[in-house]
Amino acid sequence: MTAQLVRRRIGVTGVVQGVGFRPFVYRTAQQHSLTGFVLNDSTGVVIEVEGDTSAISRFLGALQSGLPPLARIDHLAVEECAIAGETSFVIRESISQPDEFALVPPDAGLCAECAREVRTPGGRRFGYPFTNCTNCGPRYTIITDVPYDRRLTTMRAFEMCPDCREEYENPLDRRFHAEPNACAQCGPALALMSAGQFAAGEPLVFDAADAPDVLAETRRLLEAGQVIAIKGLGGFHLACDATNEAAVSLLRSRKRRSGKAFAVMARDLAVANAIGEVSGADRALLASAERPIVLVPRRPHAPVASGVAPGNSLLGIMLPYTPLHQLLFENTRLEMLVMTSGNFSEEPIVCGNEEARRRLSGLADFFLLHNREIHMRVDDSVLQTFEGQPYPVRRSRGYAPRPVDLGIPLLEVLGAGGELKNTLCLTKDRYAILSQHIGDLENLETMDFFHQTLEHLRGFFRVAPVAAAHDLHPGYLSTRFALEQSGLPCIGVQHHHAHIAGCMADNGISGKVIGVALDGTGYGTDGKIWGGEFLVCDFSAFERRAHFRYTPLPGGDAAVRQPWRSALAYLRDAFGNEATPALPLFSRIPAADVRIVDQMIARSVNTVETSSCGRLFDAVSSMLGICHHTTYEAQAAIELEFAAADAADPYPFDIGEAGLRQ
């Protein structure tokens, strides 16, 4: 029987650029004796294959069963096209199309093959701190536009040497079209400067040949208790020996971070398990391509300085996710380093060398710099596992800008996000495109970062919003930003309805749900502060069916910083005059302050009413003598959770049929 010759055009969308997908297609086409081509365009990847019908069928099956590690197919469309009579299969140049978009890949942690190369003496990349391939390395942080080609990344400043060019152009090499591909002969390099030299404006000299000496000196300085500002993948870290009490205390005082925990980078999984109770799910997450910080229970007597996570039963642990990080642990006694964001508290992470000179002066003793520009700053992601499943606490490096596929066509809308822990969102086609963690919108630097990120994502994904969604709170900077967008209709969204809708989207749920939002602050439709809410809702609307009883919040935000105020308010609400300010739990608070706040509550002066569960947690934390004053957000509730971890069984309760009181 004569084989039937046909040709098919295949459009592939998903994470298919910058992840080795085209060479995978090339090899698969060769294996099935097909001719044609593959190329990147502004929507994803386009493939045309020509050959026997059965061979094309097998090719299509192989496309979806053996993907490269970082690739993901969201949609695959196949159509017939005319026979072209080609004699080979080739990879063509990319095509840029206006108003079209492709999914931008997140940054990926160091893969096993590159890790081996960096450790193998005699190899081309032995000891090279910027080694990468199509399975790992920078992506989102260096891309300036799509399609994802080297000329549209910050690596355009480095001309590949002949050896790197040969790898880059060989479809059978794992570095084929790995856009950050480089080696010590042609790529980025390191420089080490003292804080004094750096602040004085001495010129930076980057020489890859100096890397072994630079790294050896950096290790020596860390061993000696110095604080080093290290430029990494998405920005600077402030690093020190995590076992050195004096170094950790010094870093904490310089960063003005009195209580909030620092993250720890462990040399390997064995060290991570020695200091934290690392489950199987935790290990998988730590070693994943995303390489997030994972929150795990701290082991008793773990050799970690007490100042790393004061008053905290959890440790935030991550593994080295770049070759530079891996090399910091070579030939040294160091097993773990504090790796905290390179910034003052509540400011965006610093990402540029000159920016570091301005903003990190006085925080570090030395600066370990490199000359690969970071186009988009991205902080580390933080996750925690529960019943074997990962839950994001902060979704950033390794995950952003990976979108959520909502499965339905959407208008192009900007979601401006809330005030604290801000993340913005854009919708396009069927996707909700989430930015990296931006932070608390409480200063000019963070608002500038918000603007930069928005413009960056709008350009990447070719989004022209037709509306802006914002929180109902009129004082939020994100709300003000949305309302100032000329010509855009604005949609106010209640804070807790947004929380529940986000959970619905994350879990692929449509239709009506009963949603419970236990939160700290959210502006309600009645002008009061909500936070203990029971809503019946879908994506478009909600009914508030029940809530925690309103109690006074004396001083507004001052009560958030001073949980004893909430304690007094809840006691007054529950027991009236029987709850006197003379109770022993207020003995550590100046009596005059207690009397003033007590009068504010009694006279409803400078108070707002709240149903916030967060404020209830604060009140209980203060009543138990755990936390009367906070130095970081949710400190009282966090320390209450740790104190309750080993407590007795919970109080008994049941759910009856009685009607719900508004």
Side-chain angles (χ1 to χ4, degrees):
M1 177 184 289
T2 303
Q4 182 183 4
L5 190 67
V6 297
R7 189 176 183 90
R8 298 288 184 266
R9 182 179 179 86
I10 306 160
V12 187
T13 59
V15 182
V16 289
Q17 293 192 14
V19 292
F21 187 73
R22 286 177 300 167
F24 162 68
V25 171
Y26 176 90
R27 293 190 297 271
T28 306
Q30 298 275 41
Q31 291 165 6
H32 292 87
S33 302
L34 300 174
T35 62
F37 66 85
V38 59
L39 59 82
N40 282 346
D41 70 5
S42 296
T43 65
V45 168
V46 175
I47 307 165
E48 287 194 12
V49 286
E50 189 171 307
D52 177 72
T53 305
S54 61
I56 290 179
S57 179
R58 291 192 299 272
F59 169 81
L60 289 170
L63 274 190
Q64 300 174 77
S65 61
L67 289 172
L70 303 181
R72 187 188 81 230
I73 293 176
D74 288 342
H75 185 64
L76 190 148
V78 183
E79 60 183 48
E80 295 184 13
C81 51
I83 299 293
E86 293 152 324
T87 58
S88 62
F89 190 90
V90 298
I91 299 175
R92 291 187 181 176
E93 289 292 320
S94 300
I95 297 174
S96 180
Q97 300 157 290
D99 301 324
E100 297 291 351
F101 78 102
L103 298 185
V104 177
D107 302 282
L110 181 66
C111 72
E113 290 87 350
C114 286
R116 279 194 294 270
E117 281 185 303
V118 172
R119 286 195 175 107
T120 304
R124 267 199 342 114
R125 290 185 174 83
F126 173 58
Y128 184 58
F130 303 96
T131 299
N132 67 87
C133 70
T134 53
N135 297 326
C136 67
R139 301 291 194 276
Y140 178 54
T141 51
I142 64 169
I143 299 171
T144 60
D145 202 355
V146 291
Y148 176 44
D149 288 329
R150 190 179 180 102
R151 62 186 174 83
L152 296 176
T153 75
T154 61
M155 284 298 295
R156 64 182 176 273
F158 301 94
E159 183 67 29
M160 280 183 280
C161 68
D163 288 336
C164 286
R165 174 63 64 180
E166 182 178 350
E167 294 168 335
Y168 183 84
E169 294 178 349
N170 180 1
L172 300 180
D173 195 290
R174 83 172 195 279
R175 291 193 168 92
F176 175 76
H177 279 248
E179 306 305 345
N181 189 34
C183 70
Q185 301 303 313
C186 63
L190 298 173
L192 179 66
M193 297 188 76
S194 71
Q197 292 173 314
F198 194 46
E202 291 194 18
L204 300 175
V205 178
F206 298 98
D207 188 342
D210 294 337
D213 293 337
V214 166
L215 289 165
E217 178 63 6
T218 302
R219 295 184 204 108
R220 187 192 69 77
L221 292 167
L222 289 166
E223 289 177 349
Q226 302 291 295
V227 175
I228 315 286
I230 299 174
K231 186 178 180 182
L233 190 65
F236 277 78
H237 283 112
L238 293 168
C240 67
D241 180 358
T243 67
N244 187 319
E245 293 281 4
V248 173
S249 177
L250 179 64
L251 174 56
R252 189 168 288 283
S253 65
R254 287 178 177 175
K255 196 170 177 182
R256 304 173 193 167
R257 187 168 172 173
S258 58
K260 196 173 182 180
F262 289 142
V264 173
M265 180 174 283
R267 183 183 61 197
D268 51 32
L269 278 170
V271 173
N273 193 55
I275 61 176
E277 296 176 7
V278 180
S279 69
D282 295 329
R283 283 194 294 274
L285 199 52
L286 283 166
S288 67
E290 291 82 5
R291 298 286 173 89
I293 297 168
V294 181
L295 300 177
V296 300
R298 178 176 180 161
R299 288 194 183 279
H301 313 299
V304 180
S306 60
V308 167
N312 199 315
S313 64
L314 300 179
L315 282 177
I317 302 175
M318 59 180 158
L319 296 183
Y321 58 85
T322 71
L324 174 58
H325 295 145
Q326 177 178 289
L327 290 165
L328 290 175
F329 289 103
E330 298 289 323
N331 304 312
T332 177
R333 64 168 180 80
L334 296 167
E335 292 191 326
M336 63 196 83
L337 295 170
V338 165
M339 283 281 190
T340 189
S341 302
N343 56 7
F344 278 111
S345 292
E346 312 312 329
E347 290 184 358
I349 188 172
V350 170
C351 68
N353 293 338
E354 288 307 310
E355 184 186 14
R357 197 192 301 270
R358 296 192 311 272
R359 290 178 53 203
L360 299 184
S361 177
L363 292 181
D365 301 305
F366 288 84
F367 287 77
L368 180 60
L369 309 161
H370 63 70
N371 58 345
R372 183 178 67 200
E373 182 185 349
I374 298 170
H375 185 69
M376 182 49 58
R377 71 190 80 220
V378 180
D379 218 329
D380 295 316
S381 293
V382 182
L383 281 83
Q384 187 170 10
T385 62
F386 177 70
E387 295 183 348
Q389 297 300 312
Y391 289 86
V393 176
R394 183 171 77 192
R395 185 182 187 274
S396 203
R397 176 189 51 76
Y399 296 90
R402 184 183 300 161
V404 176
D405 187 349
L406 299 179
I408 55 174
L410 304 162
L411 294 175
E412 296 182 10
V413 176
L414 161 65
E419 182 89 331
L420 301 180
K421 309 296 182 287
N422 180 274
T423 299
L424 64 88
C425 177
L426 293 167
T427 54
K428 176 86 173 186
D429 290 350
R430 55 192 285 168
Y431 297 108
I433 302 154
L434 303 173
S435 77
Q436 68 272 36
H437 167 78
I438 293 173
D440 297 348
L441 300 183
E442 297 179 334
N443 54 60
L444 178 62
E445 292 84 1
T446 310
M447 276 307 301
D448 285 344
F449 181 27
F450 177 95
H451 285 271
Q452 293 163 6
T453 304
L454 174 58
E455 291 311 306
H456 196 53
L457 292 176
R458 285 182 62 175
F460 268 175
F461 295 99
R462 313 299 194 241
V463 178
V466 298
H470 62 83
D471 194 279
L472 291 181
H473 198 300
Y476 283 2
L477 293 181
S478 55
T479 298
R480 295 180 189 178
F481 172 83
L483 293 173
E484 291 167 359
Q485 299 308 293
S486 177
L488 282 187
C490 291
I491 305 162
V493 180
Q494 201 283 321
H495 193 90
H496 303 102
H497 182 206
H499 277 316
I500 296 166
C503 291
M504 291 170 63
D506 205 30
N507 290 278
I509 298 171
S510 59
K512 281 196 172 183
V513 300
I514 300 172
V516 182
L518 305 180
D519 192 18
T521 300
Y523 195 83
T525 55
D526 58 0
K528 297 179 181 180
I529 303 301
W530 293 6
E533 310 307 313
F534 296 77
L535 309 181
V536 175
C537 62
D538 54 22
F539 283 124
S540 61
F542 73 91
E543 299 174 65
R544 190 188 193 201
R545 299 296 294 273
H547 60 84
F548 285 17
R549 186 172 72 237
Y550 284 129
T551 55
L553 187 67
D557 286 345
V560 177
R561 297 187 294 272
Q562 300 173 25
W564 66 266
R565 292 176 177 241
S566 289
L568 182 57
Y570 272 92
L571 288 169
R572 281 293 191 209
D573 179 70
F575 302 108
N577 291 333
E578 295 176 22
T580 68
L583 286 171
L585 69 94
F586 297 114
S587 61
R588 295 169 59 187
I589 312 299
D593 291 351
V594 176
R595 284 195 300 272
I596 291 171
V597 171
D598 194 46
Q599 292 172 7
M600 290 168 58
I601 296 168
R603 299 174 184 177
S604 297
V605 175
N606 193 24
T607 64
V608 294
E609 288 192 311
T610 182
S611 60
S612 167
C613 188
R615 301 294 75 80
L616 176 59
F617 290 152
D618 288 352
V620 174
S621 184
S622 178
M623 289 178 196
L624 295 174
I626 294 170
C627 183
H628 293 310
H629 296 83
T630 65
T631 59
Y632 62 90
E633 191 206 355
Q635 179 179 354
I638 289 170
E639 293 184 359
L640 174 64
E641 179 184 356
F642 296 147
D646 299 323
D649 292 336
Y651 293 114
F653 69 94
D654 58 20
I655 300 174
E657 296 293 328
L660 297 171
R661 182 165 63 90
Q662 294 294 324

